[in-house]
Every structure is written in structure tokens, then in C-alpha cells.
Amino acid sequence: MMLLDMIKADNLAFFFSVLTIGFFVANTIFLIFSGIKKGIVLNTILSLFLTMVLLMLYATHNIVIFFALWEMATWLTYLLANNPKKSSKYLWASLLAEFFMLIAVARTVAYGSYDIAMVAHVDPLNLIMFCLPFIVKSGILPFNFWVTDLYTGSDKRFVAYLSAIIGKLGIFGILRVFLLSPGLIPEWFIYTFIYLAGITAVWATFKAVGSEDAIESLSFSSLSQVAFIFASVLLMNKSALIGGLVHYLNHMLIKMGMFMAVVYIWAKTGTTEFKRLGDFVSKMPFSFLFFLMLGISLAGVPPMGGVISKWFMYEGFIEESKLLAVLLFFVAGVGSFLYVYRLLHSIFLGRKKPSIGLVSEMNILAILPLAASALISFLIGVYSRPFIRFAAKALGMDFSEPRTDIGFAYIGIVSAVFGALILFAVVLWLLLPKHRYVPDTEGYTAAAYLPKDIQHWDYSYNFYAPVVRLGDKFVRLFSLDWLARFWKEYIAAIGELFRGIYSGSLKLYGFYLMSVIVLVLFLKEMLK
Amino acid sequence: MNLDFYALSIFLIGAGLAGIFLNRDFVKILVSISVLESGVNLLLISIGYVQGRLAPILFSQELKASAVGKVVDPVPQALVLTAIVIGLGLLAFGLSLAIWMAKNFETTDVSELKRLRG
Amino acid sequence: MEKFLVLVFVLPLIAGFVSYIAGLKGNHLSKIFTAIVLLTNLVLSYKIFKYVMASADNRIIAVFSGWMPPLGINFYADSIAVIFLLFANLLAFASLFSAKLSYSNRFHGLILLLTAALNGLILSGDIFNIFVFFEILCLVSFALVAYYRKAESIEASVKYFVLGSIASAMLLIGIALIYAKTGTLNLAQIADMAPQWSGLFKAVVFGLLLVGFGVEAGIFPMNAWLFDAHPAAPYPVSALLSGIVIEVALYLFLRIKSLFFVDPLFSLVLLLLGLVTFAVSELVGFYQRDVKRLLAYSSAGQIGLMLMAFSLPTKIGMFAGLLLFINHLLAKGLLFISVGSMSDRSGDRDIDRFSESASFVDKVAVLAGGLSLLGVPPSIGFMGKVLLFIALVKAGFLAFALCLIPFVVLEALYVMRLVGRTLASSGDGRIECPGQVVVQWVFTFIIIVLPIIVSRMSIQTDKLNLNGFNKQDYLYGMASQLLKGDRL
């Protein structure tokens, strides 16, 4: 079948295609059975179209077709997000970068080739221009300003797709180009963007920690993880690459599952703000369980899969002696504990809110994808070898046994220990009373001044204020709002200047006409 | 001499253009457009003019036989006929525009047309 | 076949007057008559198109009164001309078909004359003939812009009239000078003699012809009238003006330029002019609140792009220009018809209020038109833009390509603003004229289907032979190539 030929075009394409198809199927099953009725058909058709575009994108080696498909993916994302006002920053940032890619394509064509492998051969600047959309799509500084608007404004039926696949298209692009151009990548480019990605990861983590909305929190978390994967892929180190690809898979599963749970809650209650959610574990225990598993994976804790990929990525950075980068990503990783816990607690645990009346457990068919993602993530954690082999094959590497002899065995031991602890916890949970309700005055106020109104005395409100205060200046600096404001005023001033050209006076228009004739006369000197 | 005619036509063209740019009243601009077009027509005819020759009307048999060396170039004359008619059409339309302008703006002053801008 | 060539010009010319007279009895009479004539025209032009495109070397030459060229006037249809012919008649018929019934016999007569002038211009092989038809075109456009006879229309028409008159005078001076130097009016003969002209003469004539055609074509800085006239005209007229009239004027100028002024310096001047036109139009267009004026700025911008594309002396540039031309015609025609009728229905052209009574087909049409205009793959606009960039870089004008980028992004932003407002409206409006609905659906369909057709076409012209065009530059065998597993 033609589809099969496309998917099997080469190993890298196979990896990404399988993941994208798997995601699409799981997401569609979830959407159909989740009880969201409005707009599902259009969304599914457009998503199917987008998936086909992506499959073709993964398979092609022709730069013109790559460019066309990349641009189609950008526009389809814009249309699927269904919020022109908030997606406009995404649109112009992506388009700007894509036109630079077009110039790189044109220069490569002028150089004589249509193959991606040749892009870097024209000159290093060409490679950078070609890769600019990948950087923008991944949300690395200084292109991080569109991420939050797009994710929070996006149509909720699409936001899972956005986070799991689209956010990571840049990674695919970098892999595709860099793997085919060994030795031609300028060092300064790699260094600069690794550190920019590191700062982005820390910035996004701070923003996620300070967030009061589940989707916003998850979107910043996506950005942080993607920045990490981006940096490790950029490194072009064997361990980092494998770690990056496994983390791609992990992150896709995690975000797919978490967004499914949150979107389901949104569909039932109409809100995703932390202060309006709480104690959903009493109505949705299984969702809570899977969400918990995914959250643990996100934080990078064994025995879930997150630890495997992060391990390899850290190892890659250490091998290349990029210790500052390791520090940055480690800080981001530690921060991820904070927001994962916040998500878990504010939605599923904590104080009952009126919204609890509206939810019930997910339909078994709807919860199936969520369960599947949690279980696969668990599998990656405890039996990671086939996944690592899969990633290595995608990269064209031959991955034999690990080079450090304690590698796998160590992971196995840790997983076994954690497994035993979890087993113990499950046993306790089964035997002991399930939960108890406590009065409001036993709430924790997160070190902020006690608010006067008692309903704010709980985790769901301004929980991490100290952490947010700590990172406030840093976050504000890198949010680039100051730059955006300056730019907007500058463009507005130029616009006013040029509008004056068409001032409405007939004499002026006539003058323009005559001046053209006069100016052309000056050409006579050059024509003799 | 041809040169006189050329000079005159350039003068007329210049006068027409000056009139278009310096006048504020639309009807005067129309007049200047006519002057401009007259200048151009004159230029066109003078190109075909050869001194001492006859008008290109073949009114006798002998002329028909050996017309070539004896008449001025007929092509510009045909062109000018057409151009004059075109100018007439433009002028007629311009005058109707002037009437409608007066009806809508109470004036034919072109500098009053400043609502469409930017 | 020659008869068709003549017929396609003469028929609407006579019918224009007949339609006006017939319409004195009642509007519907003139509308039906006009529709029949334009439909006939469309069919004829399609027949001509098929005939000429059937073989690479086909062309039709129609002579008048038995006088053979170069002495006589002739109509000349080569492959590029017939493309223009077909699309001009298509747009003319579509505009008429989508027009409200309330337009008077004046409107129908003028539309027919406009079509006659367009057809004549596209086909003409003689420079004075071009001038005459150009004058007809200008005059009819002046009249159509002033159709509503309100303050806004009159103001726009007065400015257009004055600028257009100066332009036609300049044009005539240029033609006079050419005749003075060469003694002939036939384009092909003049082209043979052109290399011998002196530098001063070439510069003067180039300037005069640039102004003469440039005012009508919408080249900066002579395009100021465009932004007042296109909004003020009724929406079918705006569609025609934006979609075909400015493009034909541009095409004429470029045809003459490529025949007479082959010095690379002229190409550079036009390239610069095109860039400036595009940049200024998109920059100012970004700030517009009147939707039709916004679309007019977009038109001027696209003309700038077409100017750049056609002034590159390569095959790819030519093909890019053609694709941009077709794309702009379809997309802008569709957009003006939809947006114009929406703003007529809601009574206001402001961007916040124009789409109050949008209907479903309006939304679809605006989305399709907007995306195609911006060059979203897989539309032809995308092909055109990509080929333009490739052509620019291949010809060594990398700096120009880089300068284009911010303005293309600006255009995307303001056109999507327009599309977004349309899509956001409630969509329960009703369109009174069923013809308009048909036209919108047909155009949307053409916009979707055309990329597939174009990817299989190969075009060859007389002076600009596009054969041997690199197959890779055709983007759209892509799906089939990919699926066959070819590593391209």
C-alpha cells in the first residue's frame, strides 16, 4: 500500500510516522467517546488531513516539497486552533521563519540540488536559515512569545495534538537536517542554542509553576520538555540523541494522557482553572491513577519511563562536558516536580468545589487511550530495551549493550525497588480507609499573607507564590514583552509615515506621476 | 519647419501639464487636459509632415498611381483622427463628472476632494 | 478560428450599446442579454484557448480588411495571450452573474464595453490599436467607478480621471516618438528595430510608457487612485478592476518592455519598482479598516510581486508571474464579490461590522480566497510565490528576496484578520442573488482544483519558450512521487 511505502521511506520517517499515527488514533478514539459533541467531525477531518501532511513531511527528502508540507502544517495548525486573535503571534513568527527557509531552499536550488542533504553544503548560513522554522516551532528563546497564547487560546479539541506532535515538529526537522549533514554544522550555532534552550526550559518551568490554569501549566511544561529534547538533539551525541528520541515518545504519551484528562474535565465543567477544580479523585479514581503515573513520568522519576530518557540525555551532556547546560536542565527538571504536584493536587485532591457536581468517570472507551499511555510509559520505565533499540534504529545507529556496565542493571534495580515500594503503597491503599474530609481551617496557605476570605485557604490558590517571586525578574526578562512593545510602537510609527504618502491630494498624485518620468530620464547615462 | 511644429507641440504639452497641476477648478483642469491632448496630436501630425508635399487624399487617378513621393505620411493623420475622437470622449465624460461633482460637493474645487485618504 | 478572435472583441462592443438600449425597457432585459453575450464570449475564448494550447507552436493571427501585417492591424493570439483571454472572460461573466439585479442598464452596457476593451487589448498586435483599446478601457473604468454617483464615487473617479488622462497623453507621446523613430506601428517590426535606438531615446520612451501603463497597472507611486477607486466602485466592478484590468495593463506594459527594452538595466529598474510597490502597499494595507480598501492595497501589492516576477529574464520568473496572475485573479475576484456583497448587505465597510450578515458560502469563499491569495500550500499562489523566490535567488537577487519577507508576513496578518472576522460572524445571512452563490462555489472549486491541473501543464510561448522547464520546479506531482517512494 502506498501509505506503507511512505511510512517506511526511511528509519527516521518510520519512527515519527508510527508515533504520529498512534497518537492520532488514540486521540480520535478519546475525542469520539469523551462526550464532546460539538465540532468533532470537522476537527477529526482536519486532524486527519494534518496527520497525512505530517506523514508526507517525515518521508520526503526533496526540499521544495518539505517546505510546502511544513507550511501546510503551520497553516493547518493555525486553522485547527480556531482562535485567530490569539494565534496571530504564532502565525507571523512561523511565517517569518518559513520565508527564511524558503530563501535557503531557493539558494540550494540555485546551487543545483533538491536534496535536503545538500542544504548545508551551500554554506553554513544556509543551514541556519533552513533550520530557523525548527527553532521557532520548538519555542526556543527568543521565539517563545507565541507559545502560551496559542496553547491557551487554542480549541480544546486540538490542544493535545498541538502539544504532543506539533510542538515537536522542530525536533524532527533538526534531526532530519543534521543527521544528513555531519560535520557541516557550525559550533557556535550549537552552543548558542543549547544554552538558549536551557534558559527557555528554566523560564518555562517557572511559568508553569506560577500558572493558575491547568492547560497553561501543561503548555509551559511542554515547552520546557521540548527545549530539553531540542538541546540534546542539537548536541549530536549518541546518548543524547537516543535519549532525545525516547523522550519524544515519552513526552508524547505523557502530554497526550494528561491533556486528555484535562480536556475531559473541561468538557464536563467548562473550566480548567485550578481554583475551580478539586477533589475529583472521588469521582474519577482511574483517571487519577493514570494521571498520577504520567505525572511521575513527567517528573522523571523511576519506575516510569521519564527517567530513562532523561538519564540518557543527561549522560549525553556530561559526555560532552556541557555541565552548565546540565545544571540548567536539572533546575528545570526539579521545577517539574513542583508543577506536576500542583496539577495533581489542585485537580484531583484538595478541597471540594462546586464543579465536582458535574463530573463523572470517563467512559471506558475514552479512558482506554489514557490508560494505554500510562501503561506504555510504565513499560518504557521497566523494560526499556526495545524502545531504546527502536530509537537507535531510527537514528541509524547500532545500539549494542550500554557502554557503562552498570547502565541497565542499575536502572533495573532502581525500578525493582520502586516497584516494590509502589506495591506496598497499593497494599496500604487497599487496606486502609480511603480519604477523609477535613475542615477548611486545616488548609495550608503557601506562605502568602492570609487572605481574608476563607475559600482561598487551600493549595489551589497561589500555591507557589514564593517560587514565583524568586523567579519573577528572570521570567519577566525572558518573556520579551518589553521587546514586543518597542517593536509594535516602531512599526506603528513607520506605518503612519507611509500612510501619509496617500494623502488624498490630487496634486500630490500628479506630482508622483511626473517624477517617475523625470527620474527615468536619469537612466540615459547608464544606457549609452 | 518641422522643428517649429515640434516646439509648438512641446509648448502646448507643457502648458497643458502646467494647467493641470496649477489649477484648482476642475473645469479648468479639463480645459488643460484638452490643451495637453491638442499638443500631443500636433506632435503626432508634425512627425508625418514633410515640407512641400500634399495632403494624403487620393482625389485623382494619377495621384493614386504615384502617390508615394508626393504626399505626407498618412498614418499619423489617421492616428490623430482617432486620438481627437478619444479626446472628445474623455472631455464629455469629464464634463459630466464636473456636473456630478458640483451636485455632490457644491463646488468644483479639486482641493475639496479630501475625504478619501490614507 | 480567426473569426472567433475578431468576434470575441466585436460582439461585446456592439452588444454594449444594444444592451443599454434594451435596458431602457427594463433592467432584467439588459441583464439577460448581457449574460448571454458574456457567456458566448466565454465559450469562444475557451475554444480559442483549447485550439492554441493543443500544440506547442499554435498561434492564431487575424487580419483586418485583408491588409497583411506589418501594414495592417492584426490580432495575435499566442499561448500566454489565450490564458489571459480565457480568464478575463471568465471573470467578466462571473462578475456579471454575481451582480445584484438592481444594477441598471448603464452598468450592463459598460461591463460589456469593458470586456470588449479587455479582449482587444489582450489580442492586439499593433501599438496604436493597443492605445485605442486602452483608452476605451480607461474611459469605461472611469464611468464604472463613478457608477453610484455619490460623493465618494465622484471623488474617486475625478482623481482617477485626471491621472488617467495625463497617463494616456504620455502614452500617446511615447507612441508618437516610437513612430517617429521606426515608421511602423507593428509590434514585431518595432521589436526588430529596437536595438538600434540610442540610450536617451530608450530612456525617454521607457519613462513615458511606464507612466502610461503604470498608472492603470497600479505601480508605485502612480497607484494612488487605486485605493480610492476600488472601494468606491460596486463590488462586481471592483472584482473586475482588481482582478483583471490592472493585470492586463501590467501584462501589456511587460509585453512591450520585453520586446523593445531588453537592456538588463530596465529589468533592474522594474524589479526595484515592483519591490517598492509591494512593500509600501502591504505596509499601508496593514492599517486599513475599510475592507475593500484593504483588498485594494493587497491588489497593488500583488501587482508589485507580478512586476518583479515578470521582469526577471528567466523562464521560472515568467511562470511564477503567470501563476501569480491567475491566482490573484481568482482569489481577488472571489474575495471582492464575497466581501463586497457582505458589506453592501450590512451597509458598512468597516472591518468590525462588515460581516454581520455573512452566510455559509461567504465564509467558505473568503477562507478559500484568502488562503489562496496568501499563498498557502497547495494553492497556485503558493506555487507562484515559491517560484518567485527561487527565480529571484537563481538570478542573483538574494537581497530582494530577503526584503520581501517582512511584507509578505504583514500581508498574511491583515488578510487573515479579514478572514478571521468573516469566519467569526454568526453566518445566518442570506444572499439575494442566487447567481452570486453559484459563482462563489464555482470559484472556490476552481481554486481548489487548479493546482492539480497546473502541475501537469507545460506552457510554451513565442518569444519566451518555457519548454525544457525543469520538472522539479513543478511542485505538484509531489503526492504521487512521494507515494511511489521516489527519493526526489
Side-chain angles (χ1 to χ4, degrees):
Chain A
M1 200 180 115
M2 288 195 288
L3 189 66
L4 229 56
D5 286 330
M6 202 158 61
I7 298 174
K8 287 207 270 210
D10 63 34
N11 289 326
L12 193 66
F14 184 59
F15 181 86
F16 283 94
S17 303
V18 164
L19 262 52
T20 308
I21 294 179
F23 171 81
F24 175 70
V25 168
N27 198 29
T28 311
I29 293 178
F30 166 72
L31 283 175
I32 294 176
F33 293 107
S34 63
I36 304 176
K37 299 273 187 348
K38 207 165 157 310
I40 286 294
V41 176
L42 187 62
N43 186 73
T44 309
I45 294 176
L46 282 176
S47 299
L48 178 63
F49 191 41
L50 179 57
T51 311
M52 304 262 53
V53 166
L54 289 179
L55 290 180
M56 287 202 272
L57 180 69
Y58 297 145
T60 181
H61 275 243
N62 176 316
I63 44 177
V64 177
I65 294 181
F66 187 93
F67 172 73
L69 289 168
W70 184 272
E71 208 173 314
M72 269 174 95
T74 301
W75 279 98
L76 275 169
T77 311
Y78 175 78
L79 290 174
L80 272 164
N82 210 11
N83 189 336
K85 216 159 164 269
K86 288 200 124 183
S87 322
S88 69
K89 283 189 188 158
Y90 162 73
L91 189 65
W92 71 254
S94 294
L95 282 180
L96 200 60
E98 275 158 31
F99 279 104
F100 279 98
M101 184 193 232
L102 180 55
I103 300 225
V105 167
R107 291 183 74 209
T108 314
V109 169
Y111 185 78
S113 160
Y114 284 85
D115 194 307
I116 285 191
M118 287 286 139
V119 172
H121 285 258
V122 176
D123 62 40
L125 187 63
N126 206 39
L127 181 68
I128 295 172
M129 281 200 288
F130 193 82
C131 292
L132 206 57
F134 307 146
I135 300 172
V136 170
K137 257 301 194 297
S138 307
I140 311 294
L141 271 173
F143 303 110
N144 55 347
F145 52 85
W146 57 265
V147 178
T148 175
D149 278 348
L150 181 67
Y151 278 68
T152 49
S154 160
D155 188 334
K156 303 286 186 290
R157 290 165 281 249
F158 182 61
V159 73
Y161 204 119
L162 196 54
S163 176
I165 303 288
I166 303 292
K168 316 225 275 286
L169 268 182
I171 313 268
F172 164 74
I174 293 277
L175 273 173
R176 173 60 91 202
V177 175
F178 280 26
L179 284 175
L180 291 169
S181 328
L184 290 164
I185 309 160
E187 292 274 303
W188 60 265
F189 178 69
I190 297 185
Y191 286 172
T192 320
F193 277 98
I194 287 179
Y195 290 109
L196 278 175
I199 301 177
T200 311
V202 175
W203 175 84
T205 305
F206 269 108
K207 292 279 294 205
V209 164
S211 167
E212 296 291 323
D213 178 276
I215 292 199
E216 189 188 17
S217 175
L218 282 175
S219 73
F220 279 118
S221 158
S222 283
L223 180 55
S224 175
Q225 302 296 316
V226 166
F228 194 9
I229 304 178
F230 189 83
S232 42
V233 162
L234 219 51
L235 204 55
M236 283 279 130
N237 168 289
K238 192 164 161 182
S239 308
L241 279 170
I242 292 181
L245 276 184
V246 178
H247 201 57
Y248 181 100
L249 170 58
N250 253 323
H251 181 255
M252 184 193 92
L253 292 168
I254 294 167
K255 281 295 152 37
M256 172 170 86
M258 287 179 128
F259 269 112
M260 276 180 192
V262 172
V263 166
Y264 178 80
I265 288 170
W266 169 82
K268 292 284 178 195
T269 63
T271 178
T272 48
E273 291 178 51
F274 288 142
K275 62 183 182 210
R276 286 202 230 277
L277 307 173
D279 191 38
F280 281 11
V281 68
S282 55
K283 290 283 189 80
M284 302 167 59
F286 289 105
S287 301
F288 169 69
L289 174 64
F290 298 128
F291 197 88
L292 174 66
M293 289 170 74
L294 289 172
I296 295 174
S297 190
L298 182 58
V301 174
M304 300 296 294
V307 65
I308 303 289
S309 44
K310 286 199 171 162
W311 178 281
F312 277 99
M313 288 198 279
Y314 284 132
E315 195 176 321
F317 277 98
I318 294 173
E319 278 170 24
E320 300 285 325
S321 312
K322 299 269 182 299
L323 297 176
L324 180 58
V326 173
L327 183 63
L328 283 172
F329 290 118
F330 191 72
V331 168
V334 165
S336 68
F337 275 101
L338 297 177
Y339 60 71
V340 164
Y341 181 67
R342 179 97 190 273
L343 271 167
L344 262 170
H345 194 287
S346 303
I347 301 178
F348 290 101
L349 307 173
R351 199 165 155 277
K352 241 201 258 269
K353 306 268 176 28
S355 58
I356 193 157
L358 298 164
V359 293
S360 54
E361 183 56 275
M362 286 197 226
N363 190 338
I364 178 122
L365 283 166
I367 207 171
L368 209 58
L370 175 56
S373 54
L375 290 170
I376 297 179
S377 195
F378 179 66
L379 201 61
I380 297 179
V382 291
Y383 186 54
S384 50
R385 201 168 305 185
F387 295 99
I388 296 182
R389 283 251 171 75
F390 186 37
K393 190 158 159 270
L395 293 163
M397 292 179 195
D398 155 48
F399 195 85
S400 46
E401 293 307 304
R403 279 141 324 120
T404 53
D405 38 11
I406 61 164
F408 274 127
Y410 182 78
I411 297 175
I413 293 174
V414 170
S415 306
V417 168
F418 267 87
L421 286 173
I422 288 178
L423 197 58
F424 182 58
V426 168
V427 166
L428 282 182
W429 180 71
L430 285 171
L431 295 177
L432 296 176
K434 296 293 179 287
H435 57 255
R436 65 189 179 96
Y437 289 98
V438 297
D440 272 333
T441 43
E442 272 187 56
Y444 178 53
T445 62
Y449 289 120
L450 283 179
K452 299 248 178 24
D453 27 2
I454 199 166
Q455 60 260 36
H456 289 149
W457 292 17
D458 72 51
Y459 287 108
S460 299
Y461 182 74
N462 218 0
F463 189 39
Y464 287 126
V467 180
V468 173
R469 279 199 292 268
L470 180 68
D472 189 51
K473 283 232 165 42
F474 170 79
V475 166
R476 254 210 283 234
L477 174 67
F478 286 107
S479 296
L480 300 177
D481 286 329
W482 45 273
L483 192 61
R485 253 178 290 123
F486 162 76
W487 198 238
K488 231 182 166 163
E489 283 157 21
Y490 185 63
I491 298 241
I494 295 188
E496 279 311 301
L497 187 69
F498 277 87
R499 278 184 89 167
I501 294 180
Y502 297 115
S503 67
S505 143
L506 186 55
K507 300 248 172 14
L508 187 61
Y509 296 167
F511 169 71
Y512 291 152
L513 221 132
M514 298 317 293
S515 62
V516 173
I517 301 185
V518 170
L519 285 173
V520 170
L521 279 175
F522 284 105
L523 288 176
K524 70 173 169 75
E525 299 303 325
M526 301 189 237
L527 285 169
K528 290 277 196 313
Chain B
M1 290 251 45
N2 272 6
L3 214 53
D4 289 337
F5 290 126
Y6 292 151
L8 179 61
S9 65
I10 291 182
F11 173 72
L12 280 174
I13 291 172
L17 281 173
I20 295 175
F21 288 119
L22 296 174
N23 271 312
R24 281 174 57 180
D25 187 53
F26 185 57
V27 181
K28 291 188 184 159
I29 290 180
L30 280 174
V31 172
S32 310
I33 291 178
S34 295
V35 170
L36 173 63
E37 283 176 6
S38 303
V40 180
N41 292 339
L42 185 58
L43 178 66
L44 209 38
I45 287 211
S46 354
I47 286 173
Y49 181 66
V50 183
Q51 201 170 26
R53 292 204 194 171
L54 302 168
I57 304 172
L58 305 174
F59 49 78
S60 74
Q61 273 302 100
E62 47 153 89
L63 206 54
K64 267 198 200 149
S66 61
V68 177
K70 293 203 191 143
V71 298
V72 303
D73 193 344
V75 173
Q77 309 221 344
L79 304 186
V80 166
L81 275 173
T82 319
I84 291 176
V85 174
I86 291 174
L88 171 68
L90 278 174
L91 189 61
F93 177 75
L95 284 171
S96 77
L97 258 187
I99 295 176
W100 279 104
M101 188 178 169
K103 280 198 189 154
N104 277 300
F105 290 89
E106 306 294 321
T107 172
T108 48
D109 187 340
V110 168
S111 52
E112 287 300 310
L113 300 176
K114 46 188 201 284
R115 294 187 209 181
L116 300 175
R117 52 187 315 197
Chain C
M1 265 303 143
E2 290 81 9
K3 294 227 173 31
F4 285 171
L5 226 52
V6 175
L7 209 56
V8 92
F9 160 69
V10 167
L11 189 60
L13 187 64
I14 301 178
F17 298 105
V18 174
S19 167
Y20 181 77
I21 296 172
L24 290 172
K25 287 232 161 155
N27 281 345
H28 44 278
L29 257 177
S30 88
K31 173 146 188 169
I32 295 174
F33 182 67
T34 313
I36 295 176
V37 171
L38 284 178
L39 188 58
T40 317
N41 241 23
L42 182 59
V43 170
L44 285 176
S45 56
Y46 180 67
K47 282 202 158 60
I48 298 172
F49 176 78
K50 279 203 78 169
Y51 176 76
V52 172
M53 300 299 262
S55 143
D57 286 317
N58 269 359
R59 61 194 80 109
I60 314 176
I61 303 181
V63 291
F64 290 89
S65 314
W67 289 96
M68 296 300 290
L71 283 176
I73 299 176
N74 59 327
F75 270 1
Y76 179 86
D78 65 358
S79 41
I80 293 195
V82 296
I83 296 176
F84 278 66
L85 189 69
L86 177 64
F87 280 103
N89 285 302
L90 176 67
L91 190 62
F93 179 64
S95 305
L96 178 80
F97 206 56
S98 66
K100 294 192 283 220
L101 213 56
S102 58
Y103 289 137
S104 68
N105 53 343
R106 210 173 8 117
F107 175 83
H108 296 125
L110 287 172
I111 293 275
L112 280 171
L113 289 175
L114 186 70
T115 316
L118 281 171
N119 290 338
L121 271 176
I122 294 168
L123 296 170
S124 175
D126 176 271
I127 204 170
F128 192 74
N129 214 10
I130 288 180
F131 173 71
V132 173
F133 291 145
F134 192 72
E135 286 309 299
I136 303 179
L137 182 70
C138 284
L139 197 45
V140 172
S141 328
F142 302 156
L144 278 171
V145 166
Y147 177 77
Y148 284 136
R149 294 174 172 163
K150 293 189 310 223
E152 182 196 13
S153 314
I154 298 294
E155 179 176 344
S157 190
V158 165
K159 291 184 187 167
Y160 187 14
F161 174 75
V162 173
L163 292 174
S165 304
I166 304 178
S168 41
M170 298 291 121
L171 190 54
L172 194 51
I173 299 178
I175 292 175
L177 289 175
I178 289 180
Y179 182 75
K181 197 78 168 207
T182 61
T184 173
L185 293 170
N186 184 285
L187 285 177
Q189 245 192 342
I190 303 176
D192 289 331
M193 299 192 213
Q196 301 143 11
W197 296 344
S198 75
L200 174 62
F201 184 77
K202 271 197 211 169
V204 169
V205 176
F206 179 74
L208 289 168
L209 289 180
L210 177 62
V211 171
F213 287 112
V215 166
E216 193 70 24
I219 304 176
F220 182 85
M222 307 166 279
N223 55 5
W225 61 269
L226 213 152
F227 313 121
D228 300 330
H230 287 198
Y235 67 85
V237 174
S238 299
L240 274 173
L241 283 178
S242 256
I244 186 80
V245 171
I246 51 182
E247 294 185 1
V248 165
L250 186 69
Y251 160 67
L252 279 173
F253 175 65
L254 289 163
R255 197 165 70 167
I256 292 177
K257 175 250 165 199
S258 67
L259 287 173
F260 306 168
F261 305 107
V262 289
D263 201 294
L265 179 65
F266 290 124
S267 297
L268 188 61
V269 167
L270 288 179
L271 212 58
L272 263 170
L273 214 52
L275 178 63
V276 175
T277 309
F278 180 65
V280 173
S281 306
E282 301 301 357
L283 187 54
V284 182
F286 186 67
Y287 294 96
Q288 298 304 315
R289 292 198 64 89
D290 176 339
V291 281
K292 287 178 81 173
R293 204 179 165 92
L294 190 151
L295 289 176
Y297 276 102
S298 168
S299 292
Q302 295 294 315
I303 288 287
L305 281 185
M306 280 183 240
L307 184 56
M308 287 181 82
F310 278 115
S311 62
L312 287 169
T314 62
K315 300 173 212 164
I316 311 183
M318 177 81 190
F319 194 48
L322 262 175
L323 286 173
L324 283 171
F325 161 80
I326 298 175
N327 173 57
H328 182 244
L329 188 149
L330 291 171
K332 210 32 93 51
L334 186 57
L335 277 173
F336 259 117
I337 291 175
S338 314
V339 167
S341 79
M342 268 195 279
S343 55
D344 276 352
R345 266 175 275 148
S346 46
D348 195 338
R349 298 208 305 252
D350 187 277
I351 197 168
D352 290 324
R353 293 182 283 276
F354 79 100
S355 58
E356 273 161 15
S357 50
S359 70
F360 177 67
V361 63
D362 281 326
K363 291 187 181 185
V364 170
V366 169
L367 184 64
L371 290 181
S372 184
L373 185 66
L374 293 175
V376 174
S379 68
I380 328 182
F382 171 73
M383 291 195 223
K385 285 217 170 98
V386 169
L387 286 178
L388 174 63
F389 271 80
I390 293 182
L392 278 173
V393 172
K394 259 192 171 170
F397 295 111
L398 179 60
F400 282 80
L402 282 169
C403 289
L404 281 178
I405 296 179
F407 302 105
V408 183
V409 175
L410 274 178
E411 179 180 24
L413 281 175
Y414 74 72
V415 172
M416 284 322 282
R417 194 188 296 157
L418 174 71
V419 174
R421 298 291 164 95
T422 313
L423 292 176
S425 81
S426 53
D428 48 8
R430 280 188 60 248
I431 304 181
E432 316 108 37
C433 175
Q436 185 186 325
V437 178
V438 171
V439 166
Q440 284 175 305
W441 279 117
V442 169
F443 266 53
T444 310
F445 177 72
I446 296 180
I447 286 181
I448 296 176
V449 159
L450 207 50
I452 307 173
I453 301 178
V454 166
S455 63
R456 295 163 203 272
M457 230 159 64
S458 92
I459 299 178
Q460 182 179 342
T461 77
D462 193 28
K463 299 243 173 220
L464 306 132
N465 192 333
L466 292 176
N467 251 357
F469 202 47
N470 189 342
K471 194 158 189 284
Q472 299 276 23
D473 286 321
Y474 287 79
L475 301 169
Y476 288 58
M478 73 170 164
S480 56
Q481 280 167 330
L482 268 178
L483 294 175
K484 270 188 279 182
D486 289 338
R487 295 270 217 96
L488 302 153

